[in-house]
PDB file of all heavy atoms in Angstrom:
ATOM      1  N   ARG A 268     -14.082  38.221 108.514  1.00 98.00           N
ATOM      2  CA  ARG A 268     -12.730  38.505 108.988  1.00 98.00           C
ATOM      3  C   ARG A 268     -12.341  39.944 108.672  1.00 98.00           C
ATOM      4  O   ARG A 268     -11.784  40.647 109.518  1.00 98.00           O
ATOM      5  CB  ARG A 268     -11.732  37.552 108.320  1.00 98.00           C
ATOM      6  CG  ARG A 268     -11.620  36.186 108.971  1.00 98.00           C
ATOM      7  CD  ARG A 268     -10.582  35.330 108.240  1.00 98.00           C
ATOM      8  NE  ARG A 268     -10.266  34.121 108.994  1.00 98.00           N
ATOM      9  CZ  ARG A 268      -9.418  33.189 108.569  1.00 98.00           C
ATOM     10  NH1 ARG A 268      -8.815  33.328 107.385  1.00 98.00           N
ATOM     11  NH2 ARG A 268      -9.154  32.132 109.307  1.00 98.00           N
ATOM     12  N   SER A 269     -12.648  40.381 107.472  1.00 98.00           N
ATOM     13  CA  SER A 269     -12.321  41.743 107.058  1.00 98.00           C
ATOM     14  C   SER A 269     -13.025  42.766 107.949  1.00 98.00           C
ATOM     15  O   SER A 269     -12.424  43.736 108.411  1.00 98.00           O
ATOM     16  CB  SER A 269     -12.726  41.944 105.594  1.00 98.00           C
ATOM     17  OG  SER A 269     -12.570  43.290 105.211  1.00 98.00           O
ATOM     18  N   ALA A 270     -14.309  42.551 108.188  1.00 98.00           N
ATOM     19  CA  ALA A 270     -15.088  43.481 109.013  1.00 98.00           C
ATOM     20  C   ALA A 270     -14.600  43.508 110.446  1.00 98.00           C
ATOM     21  O   ALA A 270     -14.524  44.573 111.081  1.00 98.00           O
ATOM     22  CB  ALA A 270     -16.560  43.109 108.963  1.00 98.00           C
ATOM     23  N   LEU A 271     -14.254  42.342 110.982  1.00 98.00           N
ATOM     24  CA  LEU A 271     -13.771  42.263 112.361  1.00 98.00           C
ATOM     25  C   LEU A 271     -12.406  42.962 112.493  1.00 98.00           C
ATOM     26  O   LEU A 271     -12.154  43.659 113.488  1.00 98.00           O
ATOM     27  CB  LEU A 271     -13.657  40.797 112.798  1.00 98.00           C
ATOM     28  CG  LEU A 271     -14.969  40.055 113.012  1.00 98.00           C
ATOM     29  CD1 LEU A 271     -14.721  38.561 113.154  1.00 98.00           C
ATOM     30  CD2 LEU A 271     -15.694  40.587 114.256  1.00 98.00           C
ATOM     31  N   GLU A 272     -11.540  42.752 111.520  1.00 98.00           N
ATOM     32  CA  GLU A 272     -10.225  43.407 111.571  1.00 98.00           C
ATOM     33  C   GLU A 272     -10.385  44.914 111.492  1.00 98.00           C
ATOM     34  O   GLU A 272      -9.667  45.669 112.161  1.00 98.00           O
ATOM     35  CB  GLU A 272      -9.341  42.888 110.449  1.00 98.00           C
ATOM     36  CG  GLU A 272      -8.869  41.458 110.661  1.00 98.00           C
ATOM     37  CD  GLU A 272      -7.905  40.990 109.587  1.00 98.00           C
ATOM     38  OE1 GLU A 272      -7.421  41.863 108.811  1.00 98.00           O
ATOM     39  OE2 GLU A 272      -7.613  39.783 109.531  1.00 98.00           O
ATOM     40  N   ARG A 273     -11.299  45.358 110.682  1.00 98.00           N
ATOM     41  CA  ARG A 273     -11.570  46.788 110.584  1.00 98.00           C
ATOM     42  C   ARG A 273     -12.025  47.337 111.925  1.00 98.00           C
ATOM     43  O   ARG A 273     -11.592  48.417 112.336  1.00 98.00           O
ATOM     44  CB  ARG A 273     -12.634  47.042 109.513  1.00 98.00           C
ATOM     45  CG  ARG A 273     -12.970  48.503 109.282  1.00 98.00           C
ATOM     46  CD  ARG A 273     -13.971  48.685 108.141  1.00 98.00           C
ATOM     47  NE  ARG A 273     -14.285  50.097 107.989  1.00 98.00           N
ATOM     48  CZ  ARG A 273     -15.197  50.739 108.727  1.00 98.00           C
ATOM     49  NH1 ARG A 273     -15.911  50.081 109.612  1.00 98.00           N
ATOM     50  NH2 ARG A 273     -15.402  52.022 108.535  1.00 98.00           N
ATOM     51  N   ALA A 274     -12.890  46.601 112.602  1.00 98.00           N
ATOM     52  CA  ALA A 274     -13.379  47.032 113.916  1.00 98.00           C
ATOM     53  C   ALA A 274     -12.219  47.078 114.920  1.00 98.00           C
ATOM     54  O   ALA A 274     -12.112  48.031 115.702  1.00 98.00           O
ATOM     55  CB  ALA A 274     -14.458  46.079 114.406  1.00 98.00           C
ATOM     56  N   ARG A 275     -11.345  46.075 114.883  1.00 98.00           N
ATOM     57  CA  ARG A 275     -10.226  46.044 115.833  1.00 98.00           C
ATOM     58  C   ARG A 275      -9.242  47.170 115.588  1.00 98.00           C
ATOM     59  O   ARG A 275      -8.556  47.610 116.521  1.00 98.00           O
ATOM     60  CB  ARG A 275      -9.518  44.689 115.738  1.00 98.00           C
ATOM     61  CG  ARG A 275     -10.376  43.499 116.141  1.00 98.00           C
ATOM     62  CD  ARG A 275      -9.545  42.236 116.201  1.00 98.00           C
ATOM     63  NE  ARG A 275     -10.417  41.060 116.304  1.00 98.00           N
ATOM     64  CZ  ARG A 275     -10.648  40.211 115.294  1.00 98.00           C
ATOM     65  NH1 ARG A 275     -10.058  40.410 114.116  1.00 98.00           N
ATOM     66  NH2 ARG A 275     -11.445  39.185 115.453  1.00 98.00           N
ATOM     67  N   ARG A 276      -9.133  47.632 114.350  1.00 97.00           N
ATOM     68  CA  ARG A 276      -8.227  48.744 114.028  1.00 97.00           C
ATOM     69  C   ARG A 276      -8.792  50.086 114.457  1.00 97.00           C
ATOM     70  O   ARG A 276      -8.173  51.124 114.256  1.00 97.00           O
ATOM     71  CB  ARG A 276      -7.936  48.777 112.516  1.00 97.00           C
ATOM     72  CG  ARG A 276      -7.115  47.635 111.997  1.00 97.00           C
ATOM     73  CD  ARG A 276      -6.595  47.918 110.602  1.00 97.00           C
ATOM     74  NE  ARG A 276      -7.675  48.173 109.647  1.00 97.00           N
ATOM     75  CZ  ARG A 276      -8.219  47.254 108.849  1.00 97.00           C
ATOM     76  NH1 ARG A 276      -7.787  46.001 108.921  1.00 97.00           N
ATOM     77  NH2 ARG A 276      -9.185  47.559 108.001  1.00 97.00           N
ATOM     78  N   GLY A 277      -9.998  50.093 115.004  1.00 97.00           N
ATOM     79  CA  GLY A 277     -10.599  51.333 115.446  1.00 97.00           C
ATOM     80  C   GLY A 277     -11.304  52.098 114.349  1.00 97.00           C
ATOM     81  O   GLY A 277     -11.525  53.305 114.473  1.00 97.00           O
ATOM     82  N   GLU A 278     -11.706  51.392 113.272  1.00 97.00           N
ATOM     83  CA  GLU A 278     -12.348  52.053 112.147  1.00 97.00           C
ATOM     84  C   GLU A 278     -13.867  51.984 112.193  1.00 97.00           C
ATOM     85  O   GLU A 278     -14.537  52.373 111.234  1.00 97.00           O
ATOM     86  CB  GLU A 278     -11.810  51.473 110.840  1.00 97.00           C
ATOM     87  CG  GLU A 278     -10.318  51.700 110.653  1.00 97.00           C
ATOM     88  CD  GLU A 278      -9.768  51.036 109.406  1.00 97.00           C
ATOM     89  OE1 GLU A 278     -10.579  50.713 108.495  1.00 97.00           O
ATOM     90  OE2 GLU A 278      -8.547  50.833 109.325  1.00 97.00           O
ATOM     91  N   GLY A 279     -14.404  51.454 113.286  1.00 98.00           N
ATOM     92  CA  GLY A 279     -15.842  51.508 113.485  1.00 98.00           C
ATOM     93  C   GLY A 279     -16.615  50.319 112.929  1.00 98.00           C
ATOM     94  O   GLY A 279     -16.042  49.281 112.566  1.00 98.00           O
ATOM     95  N   PRO A 280     -17.938  50.469 112.864  1.00 98.00           N
ATOM     96  CA  PRO A 280     -18.827  49.346 112.517  1.00 98.00           C
ATOM     97  C   PRO A 280     -18.864  49.028 111.028  1.00 98.00           C
ATOM     98  O   PRO A 280     -18.474  49.849 110.177  1.00 98.00           O
ATOM     99  CB  PRO A 280     -20.191  49.835 112.998  1.00 98.00           C
ATOM    100  CG  PRO A 280     -20.115  51.334 112.867  1.00 98.00           C
ATOM    101  CD  PRO A 280     -18.696  51.681 113.211  1.00 98.00           C
ATOM    102  N   THR A 281     -19.355  47.830 110.734  1.00 98.00           N
ATOM    103  CA  THR A 281     -19.614  47.382 109.366  1.00 98.00           C
ATOM    104  C   THR A 281     -20.916  46.601 109.375  1.00 98.00           C
ATOM    105  O   THR A 281     -21.190  45.861 110.316  1.00 98.00           O
ATOM    106  CB  THR A 281     -18.489  46.464 108.847  1.00 98.00           C
ATOM    107  OG1 THR A 281     -17.238  47.153 108.893  1.00 98.00           O
ATOM    108  CG2 THR A 281     -18.775  46.021 107.409  1.00 98.00           C
TER     109      THR A 281
END
Side-chain angles (χ1 to χ4, degrees):
R268 277 181 169 179
S269 173
L271 290 168
E272 288 184 12
R273 182 177 179 277
R275 296 188 192 106
R276 291 194 301 266
E278 297 176 19
T281 302

